[in-house]
Amino acid sequence: MTTAAPRRELLLEAAADLFAARGFHAVGIDDIGAAAGITGPGVYRHFPSKQALLESLCDRTMDRMLGLVEGTSELATLVDLHVELVVSERALIGVWVREQRALAEQVRRSLRVRMRRYEQLWRDALAPHRSDLDAAQLALTVGAALAMLNTTSLIDSPLPAPERASLLRRQALAALLAA
């Protein structure tokens, strides 16, 4: 690869896979470089630090989540899109779930603000289906359903991706719509 963008992408993918498999603190810059086909110090041409790689991955996760649902207000569509993300981007979501605590507080705060926007879209879509819930109950229900979906990225499942997606969709809708 000769351009910066593809190398940067390779580094992000390598970091996501390694962080998901071994944890942020157990992975070194040399590990990331080797997985992307360059030397460890070569990583610094694309990212100033391992922390910057993690920040980029978490930003990417939030960008993907918000980008997927832009203009969407149907609950079933939100569920389908999030399930597809969880199934297709298992390493990325796994890093999102497990490694946010390694981020600087300012970065975590910024991600929480963006996550609240994402959750608000879900609450708005769920509210017409759950008039029995007040705002706090809607927030808890959405948060619990998203947590359930996201943490499945940490489970090694032998189920093929389509079967996993189908099961997760049914479970998420059941959790959201159960009276």
Side-chain angles (χ1 to χ4, degrees):
M1 307 260 158
T2 57
T3 61
R7 178 68 69 199
R8 184 176 169 83
E9 285 303 309
L10 282 174
L11 288 166
L12 285 167
E13 289 172 18
D17 290 342
L18 290 167
F19 294 166
R22 297 180 5 210
F24 175 75
H25 295 293
V27 175
I29 285 292
D30 289 335
D31 300 321
I32 297 165
I38 63 173
T39 65
V43 174
Y44 295 118
R45 285 193 292 274
H46 304 277
F47 294 93
S49 66
K50 185 173 82 164
Q51 184 76 28
L53 268 163
L54 179 60
E55 289 175 15
S56 291
L57 289 170
C58 289
D59 251 358
R60 172 174 284 202
T61 304
M62 213 51 254
D63 288 346
R64 290 207 177 144
M65 288 190 326
L66 286 166
L68 280 174
V69 300
E70 191 174 311
T72 302
S73 60
E74 291 296 319
L75 182 63
T77 303
L78 290 172
V79 169
D80 287 343
L81 292 169
H82 197 85
V83 164
E84 177 58 33
L85 181 66
V86 166
V87 170
S88 67
E89 297 281 353
R90 185 172 169 233
L92 187 64
I93 299 298
V95 170
W96 167 259
V97 169
R98 279 197 339 200
E99 302 301 341
Q100 284 187 51
R101 66 185 181 276
L103 295 168
E105 180 56 35
Q106 167 187 337
V107 175
R108 282 196 313 266
R109 210 178 0 255
S110 171
L111 289 169
R112 277 194 302 271
V113 167
R114 294 173 71 200
M115 188 63 184
R116 281 194 291 274
R117 275 197 339 248
Y118 185 73
E119 290 170 345
Q120 185 61 54
L121 293 167
W122 281 67
R123 289 191 301 272
D124 291 347
L126 178 59
H129 302 278
R130 295 299 307 273
S131 59
D132 58 314
L133 301 179
D134 64 24
Q137 292 167 329
L138 280 171
L140 180 62
T141 302
V142 165
L146 287 171
M148 176 197 69
L149 290 172
N150 291 341
T151 56
T152 63
S153 65
L154 305 176
I155 299 168
D156 268 335
S157 173
L159 296 176
E163 190 176 340
R164 231 176 22 251
S166 177
L167 180 59
L168 290 174
R169 180 184 194 282
R170 288 191 315 271
Q171 290 174 333
L173 286 171
L176 291 163
L177 298 173

